[in-house]
Amino acid sequence: MIRRTALMLGLAAALSPALPVLAQSRALSAEEQQLINEINAHNSAIRTMVGRFLQIDTNGGRQEGTFFIERPNKVAFRYAPPSREEIVSIGRGFYVVDRRDETYYAYPQDSIPLRQFLGDRINLLNANVIDVTNTDGYLSITVIDETVAGTVQVSLIFDTDTKDLAQWTLVEPNGSELTFSLYDVQKGVEIPNHFFTFPSTYSGKEPGT
């Protein structure tokens, strides 16, 4: 079974802009601000996105799957077999769904930073940026964030030419690392509504209950 905390932190790491500022290690240069503004605009304009992901943990464990995102407020991350778990959100909460056991575990929508990416606008300049590096055609933006599990550090890596998100690395409160790489990404694809749902017969608790 995929650890729920890692699932949610991983998605929070995926794209978690527009959070209250805690601290910045240094001021951003004009060039860095321009690049980040371009990344904000590019990703805000993407209304739907689908593709595959590879997750690698601290011990070298690998898991793959597919993801589907539609603005506003819809996301589905499906892990490949033998796992039957996935994450689904349609705006009122994030659900870790186990299709084998026909159960779900819910997190309130406002407790997961991913909600910021699912809105209409993205603004990484409002995130808690502690470092920015620009090397070999990739811009790495490192932020710290308060999540449901504690303080985490996230490095989001964007292609400086396309402005697309290529990878992110999460350092959890206990020091463990989790890296997600995206590939075979398609944008502007129509996604069936049922991709963001699960049967009402599944057992679990709604957010806040």
Side-chain angles (χ1 to χ4, degrees), residues 6-203:
L7 275 169
M8 302 314 296
L9 289 179
L11 286 178
L15 299 148
S16 57
L19 300 172
V21 175
L22 297 176
Q24 283 187 299
S25 62
R26 61 173 176 80
L28 299 177
S29 69
E31 180 183 5
E32 290 168 343
Q33 291 185 51
Q34 177 62 29
L35 277 172
I36 293 174
N37 276 326
E38 291 173 1
I39 286 170
N40 290 337
H42 172 77
N43 286 278
S44 293
I46 298 172
R47 308 313 295 175
T48 63
M49 183 166 62
V50 303
R52 299 187 61 80
F53 66 88
L54 170 64
Q55 171 189 302
I56 302 177
D57 63 29
T58 297
N59 298 319
R62 299 162 66 93
Q63 291 180 301
E64 296 184 80
T66 55
F67 70 88
F68 309 86
I69 294 175
E70 179 179 329
R71 286 196 179 84
N73 299 326
K74 293 182 180 180
V75 63
F77 274 66
R78 298 178 176 178
Y79 283 78
S83 173
R84 293 296 302 276
E85 287 192 326
E86 64 182 80
I87 289 179
V88 175
S89 175
I90 55 174
R92 66 176 182 271
F94 285 81
Y95 299 85
V96 180
V97 179
D98 189 318
R99 294 193 179 273
R100 177 182 291 110
D101 296 338
E102 298 187 354
T103 59
Y104 65 86
Y105 188 91
Y107 291 82
Q109 188 87 359
D110 60 3
S111 70
I112 304 299
L114 180 63
R115 71 189 186 280
Q116 307 293 347
F117 179 66
L118 298 178
D120 284 334
R121 302 295 301 170
I122 298 170
N123 189 355
L124 284 167
L125 291 174
N126 285 345
N128 307 317
V129 179
I130 61 171
D131 192 28
V132 176
T133 58
N134 188 357
T135 57
D136 299 325
Y138 290 93
L139 184 73
S140 175
I141 304 171
T142 301
V143 304
I144 56 173
D145 183 30
E146 292 297 331
T147 74
V148 292
T151 302
V152 299
Q153 178 175 299
V154 181
S155 295
L156 302 102
I157 301 174
F158 296 88
D159 186 305
T160 53
D161 289 331
T162 66
K163 308 301 184 295
D164 290 337
L165 179 69
Q167 185 182 85
W168 67 88
T169 297
L170 161 76
V171 180
E172 298 185 55
N174 63 4
S176 298
E177 291 190 9
L178 201 63
T179 298
F180 288 76
S181 299
L182 306 182
Y183 61 99
D184 293 343
V185 176
Q186 300 179 61
K187 292 166 281 189
V189 177
E190 185 173 350
I191 305 173
N193 282 334
H194 72 265
F195 279 33
F196 305 107
T197 63
F198 57 91
S200 60
T201 55
Y202 283 17
S203 61

